[in-house]
Amino acid sequence: MGRSDSLIFGCGPMGQEVAEQLIGRKLPVYMYSSDLDRVAEVLAKGFDAAVLDYTDDDKLRQVGIGEWVKVIFCLFPEEAKNVFLTLSARALDPDLKIICVSESSQSGQKLFAAGASKVIDPYEISGRKVHELITRPMIVDMLEHTVFGKHLDIAEIEIPLDSCLSGNPLSILDLGGRYNVVLMGVVDVEMSDRLIFSTSGVDHKLDAGDMLVVIGPAVEITRLKGDLEEDRTDQLLGG
Amino acid sequence: MDNTHRLIQTSYKLKDSVRYRRAKKFFYDLLENPKARVRPYFDVFMILLVVTSVWVLIYDVRHDMGLFDDLFEWVAVTIFIIEYLLRFWIYNDSHKVILSHYERAEFINQPFRAWPALREVVAKKWEYMTQPLAIIDLLAIIPTYRPLRFLRIFLLFRLFKLFRYTRSISEFVKVLNEKRIELFTLFIFMAFITFTAATALFFFETDVVDGKGVGSFFESIYWALVTMSTVGYGDITPHTTEGRVVTIILIIAGLGVISFFTSIIVSAFGEKMHEIRAQRVFSEVERKHIDLIICGYGRVGQVVADQLAADQRQFVLVDPQESNVRLAKQKGYLAALGDAADSALLESLGIATQAKRLLCLTGDDVANVYITLSARQMNTEIEIISRANHRENVTKLRLAGADHTVAPYEIVGLIAAEYVGQPVAFEAIYGMLTGQNDVGIEAVRVRSGSVLDGRCMADIGFRQRKLIPFGVVREGGCPIDASSGAYEIEGRCFHFNPTPDFELQAGDLVVMFGHEYSVVHFRDCLERGTL
């Protein structure tokens, strides 16, 4: 059995969807389920999968939880299974990223209480999307084709040590003018995970380790990354 | 011959007259058309008039109201007569009957004879006059005619006129009508018992002395009915043993009849209640011109409904599960119980008429495809948004006629993958998708002649307003020499991150990121024409 940073528990349609997306981004992934038939089904589709009794902590340790695994996805259709798995995994590794799906807002709270790092509510998101489709179809179309389609990427770029950007306030950056990208905001990783939108009033001073979140075509993002790494002040700040 | 000619000429004139048609249409809306706006007002007015006139009738028995009484009666009856005549008039088009006869005669090259045509006209009108409701209308008028004053009691028929104006009474009648076989059986049984018991009592009790017994056969029928219905006034009582035996049997039979009668009524309403409720929903949908139908009140449906309700938009929900419909009703949403795959149900909700959008949000892809397909067949214009639970069904839904599909699992896959790769950017995407942050993506339309029209991006001052311009959507395809940031999206061109010298045109859609307050302020500035 090979080593993989990310594990998916649950081989249902949701698990397959997530696996497909991850593999599409060149991120190796393993799928586990306690259901033999499901495992056979995803194996036939070409995923790496195995049967695993998730209730046994030793088995979980064997597949790498608490050791090399960084992210697990709890995608069982049954809420109780997800809660149980989240609890077990959290006990094994306090730093593990655990992503769960929830069926309702109440179960979302339970999963958070069990130690999930992120709870995704597919129905909530879908409902909101339908609502957006009704109220402003043009924007949905645009996002669908650009950001979530093939044209534009969302990328996070770390500001390297001793970068010329350090110490500059967020508001003076004019990335949109110098590169064909839109700067959405910045995350001060040391402070919190919250995204500081570049529009919000707080004038954040950039420093090394901050993550810039930008949207743009892949080429431009690569150019920006390159310039940041080489710390080309003339390009980044314009003289 | 000349008269016949004139008749046809008049008929053609009526057929061509716009004013005649408009007048007839107006009165049809007022009196008959259940969808017309004016109809409810007219109904309420007539109900008040009927109730008042009956009240005056009752008051008049003991009091003398003098001139007012006559005046009011006169006004009420005039209105009733006008109403009767109008209904008589709009019942059908007599000129059409004549013309169809005439044209048929022309067609087979026969001379047109007026009599058969006129006979049919009269027959049609007679058909109207013999309708139960028309008879009631007439009976409500006639007693006012002086020589027929003795028919005053028939003025009570005015109360029956209320049938016309209230839906619940007519629904009650409809329910009873549906159970007419049972009621008829009961009636026969009751008549049989009454007759037998009355005969027996008459036989046993007429001979009793002291003038206590039954005087006539009519009295004994009266006694039998009073006993059987368990009313039992006790004004006529049996005195012989035989008579009392008959009474015992009649009482027991009476209990049976009463309970049978009650159960018929109760079950009739039980069966009908669901339908009546659905009918209420349909009529509300029609009355309020609700153009948004949501099929499936599951998790996704609930989210959508809550958000639409927050926007104060109107919609109607359809769900086959009673528990879901109850939940929706508790929240005050308009909901119909039923399977949306049933095209009759969709039709009742106005899919072919006023509906503009249909959302298929059930958890079952087969149902979604079926609903999409049948809705598309009934209405080619309607916008259909459908939920696809499995990726492979997206194309099927598109083929069935869905304009947009939303795939919950795919969305999970997308954001999950993003989370592994770029956990920081994920927050931004998640926030954008769920709209949980106050910062969101907004669009502002450039109206012709507004301050934005013809302005360069650099002159708008997005930065000062704490807005990030994201792009501009312009109608029409992309120019060939467009910069690298232009993408074609379904016949429109999306200019990503437009350069400072990009000039806005009327009709453009400016897409921007920003806090909702900033966007509101920006819109406000645009309205006032100051930048």
Side-chain angles (χ1 to χ4, degrees):
Chain A
M1 193 177 290
R3 286 189 162 199
S4 166
D5 284 352
S6 337
L7 308 181
I8 294 174
F9 289 86
C11 295
M14 196 124 46
Q16 291 175 27
E17 190 68 50
V18 173
E20 218 160 283
Q21 292 275 357
L22 289 176
I23 290 164
R25 278 158 219 237
K26 308 264 182 316
L27 296 161
V29 67
Y30 263 86
M31 300 177 77
Y32 295 105
S33 172
S34 50
D35 186 340
L36 202 67
D37 298 337
R38 288 272 186 192
V39 172
E41 186 191 323
V42 293
L43 276 175
K45 287 188 181 171
F47 297 108
D48 291 323
V51 179
L52 186 87
D53 177 13
Y54 66 92
T55 56
D56 187 345
D57 281 3
D58 289 334
K59 295 265 171 61
L60 291 180
R61 232 174 262 127
Q62 273 171 26
V63 297
I65 292 176
E67 298 185 21
W68 64 84
V69 170
K70 294 206 180 90
V71 187
I72 67 164
F73 294 92
C74 310
L75 306 178
F76 288 117
E78 300 88 353
E79 208 68 54
K81 284 188 181 179
N82 286 334
V83 171
F84 189 89
L85 178 60
T86 307
L87 268 172
S88 325
R90 179 57 73 222
L92 289 174
D93 183 355
D95 296 327
L96 184 70
K97 279 180 177 156
I98 304 172
I99 301 164
C100 300
V101 284
S102 83
E103 300 272 315
S104 65
S105 54
Q106 293 147 6
S107 61
Q109 285 162 7
K110 276 179 211 143
L111 287 164
F112 272 126
S117 347
K118 196 80 215 173
V119 177
I120 299 170
D121 186 339
Y123 303 114
E124 171 88 25
I125 299 175
S126 307
R128 282 180 185 275
K129 196 173 158 194
V130 171
H131 176 242
E132 297 271 283
L133 268 172
I134 295 169
T135 48
R136 29 188 220 176
M138 292 265 267
I139 290 192
V140 177
D141 262 359
M142 186 216 57
L143 286 179
E144 198 93 314
H145 282 82
T146 56
V147 182
F148 302 119
K150 50 190 183 300
H151 300 309
L152 300 175
D153 286 340
I154 296 191
E156 54 186 62
I157 304 170
E158 192 179 346
I159 298 180
L161 269 174
D162 303 325
S163 166
C164 62
L165 292 183
S166 301
N168 283 310
L170 182 62
S171 55
I172 71 137
L173 275 187
D174 181 26
L175 292 181
R178 292 175 218 290
Y179 302 86
N180 190 19
V181 296
V182 167
L183 174 65
M184 282 190 73
V186 66
V187 177
D188 191 342
V189 181
E190 292 156 29
M191 301 267 288
S192 73
D193 287 346
R194 274 187 66 88
L195 182 79
I196 305 164
F197 274 90
S198 55
T199 57
S200 54
V202 196
D203 215 339
H204 178 79
K205 269 213 169 61
L206 297 170
D207 69 77
D210 282 3
M211 292 279 197
L212 298 174
V213 178
V214 295
I215 301 181
V219 197
E220 289 292 310
I221 289 176
T222 324
R223 186 160 76 91
L224 174 61
K225 269 186 185 163
D227 287 348
L228 264 174
E229 266 158 38
E230 288 164 32
D231 199 21
R232 294 177 61 176
T233 316
D234 55 325
Q235 288 288 322
L236 290 164
L237 292 170
Chain B
M1 192 60 209
D2 203 25
N3 276 344
T4 315
H5 190 67
R6 213 172 294 149
L7 179 71
I8 290 159
Q9 219 166 26
T10 319
S11 300
Y12 271 118
K13 208 181 278 172
L14 284 179
K15 196 185 173 190
D16 283 343
S17 165
V18 178
R19 257 171 68 195
Y20 176 80
R21 239 181 299 149
R22 209 179 284 155
K24 200 156 189 169
K25 169 86 172 50
F26 171 76
F27 286 115
Y28 172 74
D29 282 348
L30 189 70
L31 297 170
E32 294 286 347
N33 189 359
K35 291 174 196 168
R37 284 272 169 89
V38 286
R39 170 94 195 265
Y41 300 108
F42 177 75
D43 286 355
V44 169
F45 171 71
M46 288 307 282
I47 288 169
L48 288 177
L49 189 66
V50 167
V51 171
T52 320
S53 81
V54 171
W55 182 81
V56 167
L57 180 74
I58 295 165
Y59 192 77
D60 195 36
V61 173
R62 283 285 170 90
H63 306 75
D64 186 27
M65 298 209 293
L67 199 62
F68 175 76
D69 174 29
D70 287 342
L71 193 71
F72 182 81
E73 185 65 20
W74 190 78
V75 170
V77 167
T78 312
I79 293 173
F80 288 155
I81 291 173
I82 293 173
E83 187 208 1
Y84 183 79
L85 292 178
L86 281 175
R87 283 188 196 279
F88 183 79
W89 175 48
I90 61 169
Y91 179 67
N92 72 332
D93 286 324
S94 295
H95 63 267
K96 279 192 187 152
V97 175
I98 293 166
L99 288 180
S100 85
H101 269 264
Y102 174 70
E103 275 160 13
R104 205 183 307 147
E106 288 281 285
F107 186 71
I108 53 173
N109 221 353
Q110 289 269 316
F112 169 69
R113 285 178 307 145
W115 283 119
L118 287 177
R119 210 178 297 138
E120 196 182 323
V121 168
V122 173
K124 278 274 175 205
K125 292 297 184 193
W126 179 249
E127 192 182 292
Y128 168 73
M129 288 174 68
T130 49
Q131 280 182 350
L133 284 174
I135 293 173
I136 287 173
D137 281 349
L138 196 64
L139 285 175
I141 302 168
I142 286 180
T144 328
Y145 181 55
R146 291 276 162 191
L148 293 176
R149 266 286 157 133
F150 67 93
L151 286 175
R152 243 181 121 70
I153 193 63
F154 279 111
L155 280 177
L156 275 181
F157 271 96
R158 286 185 186 167
L159 283 179
F160 288 105
K161 269 173 82 70
L162 296 179
F163 281 126
R164 266 204 202 281
Y165 314 114
T166 52
R167 184 173 280 184
S168 37
I169 299 181
S170 55
E171 264 164 11
F172 183 78
V173 174
K174 221 187 281 169
V175 168
L176 290 188
N177 194 28
E178 232 161 73
K179 286 281 167 184
R180 60 180 181 277
I181 297 170
E182 287 89 337
L183 289 173
F184 183 69
T185 316
L186 180 71
F187 175 75
I188 295 288
F189 178 66
M190 205 178 77
F192 172 73
I193 301 253
T194 314
F195 186 74
T196 318
T199 315
L201 194 85
F202 187 62
F203 185 71
F204 291 126
E205 297 274 324
T206 9
D207 291 340
V208 177
V209 275
D210 300 348
K212 271 181 180 170
V214 194
S216 64
F217 188 66
F218 173 75
E219 257 179 30
S220 97
I221 295 259
Y222 163 74
W223 166 84
L225 275 172
V226 165
T227 308
M228 187 172 60
S229 63
T230 73
V231 173
Y233 288 127
D235 51 347
I236 301 167
T237 45
H239 296 280
T240 61
T241 315
E242 295 90 339
R244 287 183 177 156
V245 171
V246 171
T247 313
I248 289 168
I249 296 169
L250 183 61
I251 287 170
I252 293 167
L255 286 175
V257 167
I258 292 292
S259 47
F260 188 23
F261 181 71
T262 319
S263 79
I264 288 174
I265 302 293
V266 168
S267 75
F269 274 98
E271 286 163 23
K272 210 60 188 184
M273 221 47 219
H274 160 66
E275 222 170 283
I276 290 173
R277 276 205 202 105
Q279 206 61 46
R280 282 272 151 87
V281 173
F282 298 154
S283 60
E284 197 148 333
V285 166
E286 207 165 272
R287 196 162 49 84
K288 291 188 179 165
H289 296 280
I290 293 174
D291 58 0
L292 177 57
I293 305 170
I294 305 177
C295 306
Y297 191 61
R299 278 281 293 131
V300 178
Q302 284 166 20
V303 174
V304 176
D306 287 347
Q307 296 218 313
L308 288 172
D311 291 357
Q312 313 221 313
R313 272 171 184 257
Q314 301 212 317
F315 53 87
V316 57
L317 292 158
V318 188
D319 199 290
Q321 271 186 45
E322 202 159 354
S323 55
N324 285 346
V325 171
R326 208 178 309 132
L327 192 70
K329 285 194 173 151
Q330 273 168 12
K331 287 202 178 181
Y333 303 150
L334 200 59
L337 180 70
D339 192 353
D342 172 13
S343 42
L345 178 64
L346 284 182
E347 198 138 2
S348 311
L349 292 171
I351 191 112
T353 50
Q354 87 261 34
K356 293 207 180 71
R357 267 201 200 92
L358 177 79
L359 312 181
C360 308
L361 305 178
T362 70
D364 179 8
D365 279 354
V366 179
N368 285 339
V369 168
Y370 190 81
I371 298 167
T372 305
L373 192 76
S374 48
R376 178 57 75 216
Q377 277 184 340
M378 284 188 269
N379 187 342
T380 47
E381 299 284 304
I382 196 167
E383 183 182 357
I384 301 175
I385 300 172
S386 189
R387 167 177 164 186
N389 296 302
H390 291 269
R391 181 199 285 249
E392 60 265 28
N393 292 329
V394 171
T395 43
K396 283 175 207 158
L397 282 165
R398 292 268 178 184
L399 278 176
D403 297 292
H404 297 280
T405 53
V406 174
Y409 296 164
E410 196 184 329
I411 295 174
V412 172
L414 191 80
I415 47 187
E418 211 62 59
Y419 188 77
V420 176
Q422 323 185 83
V424 173
F426 163 86
E427 286 293 335
I429 295 173
Y430 193 74
M432 228 152 75
L433 279 172
T434 54
Q436 277 165 352
N437 306 331
D438 300 331
V439 178
I441 193 158
E442 284 286 342
V444 173
R445 172 84 64 190
V446 179
R447 265 179 275 148
S448 109
S450 79
V451 266
L452 286 183
D453 194 2
R455 210 173 262 254
C456 288
M457 290 301 279
D459 300 341
I460 295 171
F462 285 108
R463 196 167 267 273
Q464 291 94 295
R465 291 170 210 283
K466 301 193 190 308
L467 294 166
I468 315 172
F470 183 66
V472 175
V473 181
R474 181 167 287 179
E475 297 291 329
C478 287
I480 304 153
D481 60 339
S483 56
S484 60
Y487 308 104
E488 187 125 359
I489 299 168
E490 295 183 357
R492 299 189 193 92
C493 188
F494 175 62
H495 299 269
F496 171 71
N497 191 23
T499 50
D501 57 349
F502 187 91
E503 201 174 286
L504 291 175
Q505 294 173 2
D508 283 356
L509 198 67
V510 186
V511 184
M512 59 192 88
F513 284 111
H515 196 282
E516 54 178 315
Y517 299 142
S518 317
V519 178
V520 169
H521 179 68
F522 184 59
R523 279 185 204 273
D524 195 38
C525 287
L526 287 185
E527 284 301 319
R528 281 186 279 133
T530 51
L531 266 179

